[in-house]
Amino acid sequence: MRKLLKVSMIISVLFILINCNFKKKFDTEFHEFVENSDSVLCDDDKLHPSYAYLKDGKLRGLEFIRNPECGRITTRYFISQSNEIEKIIFEKDFFFNNCGETFDSIYIIEPKKKSIKIFTKSTDGEFIKNDKILKQHIIDVEKYREEIINWKKVKN
C-alpha cells in the first residue's frame, strides 16, 4: 500500500511539473517576442493589470491579466510590424475548487489563418473550429494604441 502511495505521489508531482513546463513554454514564447521592447507601459490596475510592449514607439505586444475568484486568465497579443495581430495566447488557469472543478486550458489563436489550437489536460494541441472564440479575442489594435498614451511606464 505504501509503495502504491509513493508511486501515485511521484506520478502526481511529474504531472504538475510537466504542466508547469508546458505553460512556461507559452510564457517564454511571448516574453522572447517582446524582449527587445524599449518600453513597457501598464494601465496601473493592481488586480487586473494590462501591459503594452513598445519598440521604437510601435506596439509589439499586449498582455492582459485577469484574476477572477477561482484562478487567473491571461491573454497575450503578438502584434506585427504592420500593426496586425499575428497570434493570441489565451490561458485559463482555474486552480480553486470552490468554483467547481479545477481546469486549465491554453488557446493558441492565429487570426489570419483562422486557426485555434487548444491544449488541456486531456488534449495536447487539438485544432478546433470555433468562430465565437476567434471573434471574442480579436481586439482593435488602433484603439489600444490610443489608450496606452495614458498608461504609466513600468520601472525596471
Side-chain angles (χ1 to χ4, degrees):
M1 184 68 173
R2 280 184 136 176
K3 198 171 198 174
L4 181 61
L5 183 62
K6 283 182 182 181
V7 169
S8 64
M9 284 181 61
I10 290 171
I11 290 171
S12 297
V13 168
L14 287 173
F15 177 76
I16 290 169
L17 289 174
I18 290 168
N19 197 23
C20 289
N21 285 335
F22 174 71
K23 289 179 185 180
K24 189 172 177 126
K25 171 190 171 203
F26 295 111
D27 290 347
T28 302
E29 180 182 357
F30 179 74
H31 291 289
E32 286 176 355
F33 183 80
V34 296
E35 77 181 345
N36 65 347
S37 300
D38 49 29
S39 65
V40 180
L41 305 176
C42 182
D43 66 352
D44 216 23
D45 184 332
K46 302 292 185 219
L47 292 176
H48 308 290
S50 299
Y51 298 94
Y53 298 84
L54 296 112
K55 175 70 175 175
D56 299 325
K58 291 189 84 171
L59 192 57
R60 292 286 298 138
L62 286 167
E63 181 175 37
F64 301 99
I65 301 170
R66 304 293 174 252
N67 295 296
E69 181 180 334
C70 303
R72 182 182 185 114
I73 297 172
T74 305
T75 310
R76 296 182 176 103
Y77 292 86
F78 296 69
I79 311 295
S80 71
Q81 294 291 335
S82 59
N83 241 9
E84 296 177 351
I85 300 170
E86 287 181 7
K87 183 190 288 190
I88 304 163
I89 297 178
F90 175 68
E91 179 182 342
K92 293 192 291 186
D93 185 8
F94 293 143
F95 43 79
F96 290 121
N97 286 331
N98 61 338
C99 294
E101 170 182 354
T102 61
F103 184 77
D104 298 340
S105 58
I106 298 174
Y107 296 82
I108 308 301
I109 303 167
E110 295 183 63
K112 286 183 180 179
K113 296 179 182 178
K114 295 188 179 190
S115 166
I116 302 171
K117 194 173 192 180
I118 184 171
F119 296 85
T120 66
K121 59 184 168 186
S122 61
T123 62
D124 188 24
E126 177 181 308
F127 283 98
I128 62 170
K129 177 115 174 95
N130 189 322
D131 290 334
K132 182 179 176 185
I133 291 174
L134 191 60
K135 289 177 186 176
Q136 177 184 0
H137 289 93
I138 299 300
I139 60 169
D140 182 0
V141 174
E142 194 58 40
K143 173 188 158 214
Y144 281 97
R145 286 178 40 102
E146 294 169 12
E147 186 177 315
I148 64 175
I149 292 169
N150 299 318
W151 292 9
K152 296 180 181 177
K153 192 168 186 170
V154 175
K155 295 177 178 96
N156 293 335

